[in-house]
Amino acid sequence: MGAPSSHPNQPPHDFSRSFFVSAGTPQKYDPTFKGPIYDRGCTDIICCVLLVLAIMGYVVVGIVAWTHGDPRKVIYPTDSRGQFCGQQGTPNEKKPFLFYFDIVKCASPLVLLEFQCPTTQICVSKCPDRYLTYLGAYSSRTPSELEYYRQFCVPEFKNPQKVGRGERGGVSPVLNSLARRCFPAIRAKKGVIMVGNETTYDDGRGRRRNVTELLEGAKKANVVLETRQLAMKIFEDYTVSWYWIIIGLVIAMVASLIFIVLLRFLAGIMVWVMIVMVILVLGYGIFHCYLEYAKLKGEAGSDVSLKDLGFQTDLRVYLHLRQTWLAFMIILCIVEVVIILLLIFLRKRILIAIALIKEASRAIGHIMMSLLFPLCTFFLLCLCIAYWASTAVFLSTSNEAIYKVFNETACQFSGQTCKPETFNTSNVTKLCPDAQCLFAFYGGETAYHKYLIVLQFFNVFMFFWLANFVIALGQVTLAGAFASYYWAFKKPDDMPAFPLFSAFGRALRYHTGSLAFGSLILAIVQVIRVTLEYLDHRLKAADNKFAKFLLSCLKCCFWCLEKFIKFLNRNAYIMIAIYGTNFCTSARNAFFLLMRNIIRVAVLDKVTDFLFFLGKLLIVGSVGILAFFFFTQRIKLVQDTAPPLNYYWVPILTVIVGSYLIAHGFFSVYGMCVDTLFLCFCEDLERNDGSPERPYYMSPELSEILLKGNLEPSKSTDSQG
């Protein structure tokens, strides 16, 4: 046996004490200590000042971005003059579509470099619905055809007999509108590419050209639009299903609230019901995957492998593959087995964790407002997200229109910037008669435009800092309220009148700097992780295996560091709420306290986290299954009520993610309560010994279970102390 401990509550055979002999000094008995200290001062003032200055700078960046930015640049198509198509209050208000004069020129490599086709583009009220060239319209002398063709010419086109370069539209075959752009209606008939009923077309200059050239130009012009088209379909799905999504989220909120309320009164029963329900839900998922897997046997195309299929934007394609359902079934089986094994090995520890959850239920019962506090945190996080997103959009659209010289023949000025106002009087038109000054992209050469990437980086950094600060504020507020409950000797008589509001006021008045300090450290690590993810994305096409290996190691290390800092910050905030010390002191004291009770941390704290995870999994799984059956129209009673969708996974994933966030918000109150009570319990064991002179502050129900077996302090130390 080790040397006797000087502290009456620390047994000489305690492994955690003998292993962490230098893990700080245990707390001494203090008869004046009655819970969260009210006589406290401001902490980490420098970080508080830095946060205020950073917020002021963030506001300035937002104002500058909103002054220079224009979100219309990513919403509306832009013609060759840099004007928006379909924008209200402009000459193009009734012209929402973009028309390419010569779509073949979009096959140029410039499209991939500058995302702009080197051909004249104009805004039109509708895409052409007939095959017509200028020569055909003019030679026919039919006024209706000439008038029809006139609407697809540049505004300067007045005299049909004098057609200058760039004024005639070249080809104008039958077209379809895609993402407000006019593209050829190319189709395949028995493996032959055709436009209309022809395999060739007249380019408007007396030459016949193959349709494959038209197809190549359309593909290159569409390379930037595929993502936007996907986003538009997703947006379409949201417009027809948003109210059903809200209903699903309300169901998740009601289910979470009912679960939490029942947990308050029937903690033990609800935990076991939760465990059984999770096993049953996963079991049903396995059974459903097997049914789908068996049903697809023998169907055409169902045996195609995921590797051969590749990435598809329509996720419904994957659900027609047997391999998909087999993968789902294997994953669910692994999760089911892991959970069952954990429950078998932790069955005794679960009984102890239930006692801690019951105590947390009693604490929440005396501070019922704590269940609504996550709504305040959620609202502040929404403000942070909205400000970050809007600032990012305005920053990304605060560039100016850049015009460049485009030409068909060789020209020394090709690709250089130009000004449309003075282009016709410049030497460029004399040396290169076929050159045109067309809109290329949005950019800029001023100091503001050069530092846009820095401002975007600052925007991301401030988002992480403020989001972590809001979460820290919620944690320290809840910790202060629940600590008031634990350290009240006569519960609830010795508790303050409004513990939650008192804790919130103390956090903002005295510890803004400490919260800013902890959230700043976490934000720096998170920004580094985002940077590493960006570098990893850029290096995917590289062949440097050492660089990829090094990057993977760095990503793993910083992921572990982020998890450790989150764990340390959470416990440091509890110490700040109780003692009012600065961040570094609180983090050190919390870390040493946990190290002195490392066995209890493994036995109690993490088991309760596992049980809360099962609760969130149950709510998310139940609501997710309900959303799946509803949006796939498999519930006969409401089969006709489900909206028609492009991708039914859009509302389902939204409901699942939203349900998890809602369930996490409610369970985070319980999680913070358990963590606070656990730290207070550890300190209670160090400060007191349960004698009449030094009684425990823990409730009799908690001490009856927690002070048994391996968790009970040895009484032999009393005779050796």
Side-chain angles (χ1 to χ4, degrees), residues 107-173:
S108 168
L110 288 174
V111 177
L112 300 179
L113 295 175
E114 299 178 349
F115 301 107
Q116 189 72 8
C117 295
T119 183
T120 304
Q121 301 163 48
I122 61 172
C123 299
V124 295
S125 58
K126 63 178 181 178
C127 293
D129 57 5
R130 68 182 76 170
Y131 182 89
L132 189 66
T133 63
Y134 173 76
L135 294 179
Y138 184 72
S139 61
S140 68
R141 301 292 181 179
T142 305
S144 60
E145 289 193 356
L146 196 58
E147 188 62 28
Y148 179 83
Y149 188 86
R150 190 189 300 272
Q151 63 181 316
F152 302 106
C153 298
V154 293
E156 293 81 9
F157 178 74
K158 302 296 181 184
N159 189 352
Q161 297 180 357
K162 296 181 179 180
V163 182
R165 76 178 174 279
E167 290 183 350
R168 62 183 178 183
V171 297
S172 180

Side-chain angles (χ1 to χ4, degrees), residues 271-290:
V271 168
W272 289 112
V273 169
M274 173 181 66
I275 292 172
V276 173
M277 288 297 295
V278 167
I279 295 175
L280 291 178
V281 169
L282 288 175
Y284 174 77
I286 296 171
F287 176 70
H288 181 79
C289 291
Y290 173 76

Side-chain angles (χ1 to χ4, degrees), residues 366-413:
H366 292 301
I367 314 173
M368 289 298 292
M369 286 297 295
S370 60
L371 289 176
L372 301 178
F373 189 77
L375 297 178
C376 176
T377 303
F378 179 74
F379 174 74
L380 294 177
L381 283 176
C382 287
L383 288 181
C384 294
I385 295 172
Y387 189 88
W388 162 75
S390 59
T391 303
V393 170
F394 277 92
L395 281 174
S396 62
T397 59
S398 58
N399 291 313
E400 299 172 347
I402 300 297
Y403 299 86
K404 288 195 174 185
V405 177
F406 292 98
N407 59 286
E408 295 183 9
T409 59
C411 178
Q412 58 182 334
F413 301 103

Side-chain angles (χ1 to χ4, degrees), residues 44 54 58 67 134 139 145 230 411 434 466 477 491 532 602 669:
D44 298 307
Y58 199 22
T67 303
Y134 173 76
S139 61
E145 289 193 356
L230 176 63
C411 178
D434 63 337
L466 292 178
T477 300
K491 303 175 177 60
L532 291 175
V669 176

Side-chain angles (χ1 to χ4, degrees), residues 608-628:
T608 54
D609 288 344
F610 173 67
L611 294 178
F612 289 148
F613 170 74
L614 291 183
K616 289 183 279 189
L617 194 65
L618 174 63
I619 293 173
V620 173
S622 302
V623 177
I625 290 174
L626 180 63
F628 174 78

Side-chain angles (χ1 to χ4, degrees), residues 196-261:
N197 294 317
E198 302 289 337
T199 57
T200 60
Y201 66 93
D202 188 345
D203 66 356
R205 297 175 178 83
R207 290 181 299 175
R208 301 293 297 182
R209 306 184 71 164
N210 197 292
V211 175
T212 54
E213 299 180 49
L214 201 64
L215 178 63
E216 186 65 23
K219 282 183 178 179
K220 288 290 180 67
N222 192 39
V223 70
V224 188
L225 303 176
E226 289 181 352
T227 304
R228 176 177 292 188
Q229 183 69 6
L230 176 63
M232 288 177 64
K233 287 186 177 180
I234 292 175
F235 179 75
E236 240 177 67
D237 290 339
Y238 278 126
T239 57
V240 298
S241 63
W242 63 269
Y243 45 91
W244 293 110
I245 293 175
I246 292 178
I247 291 174
L249 297 180
V250 169
I251 292 174
M253 185 177 66
V254 172
S256 300
L257 186 60
I258 292 175
F259 194 92
I260 291 296
V261 172

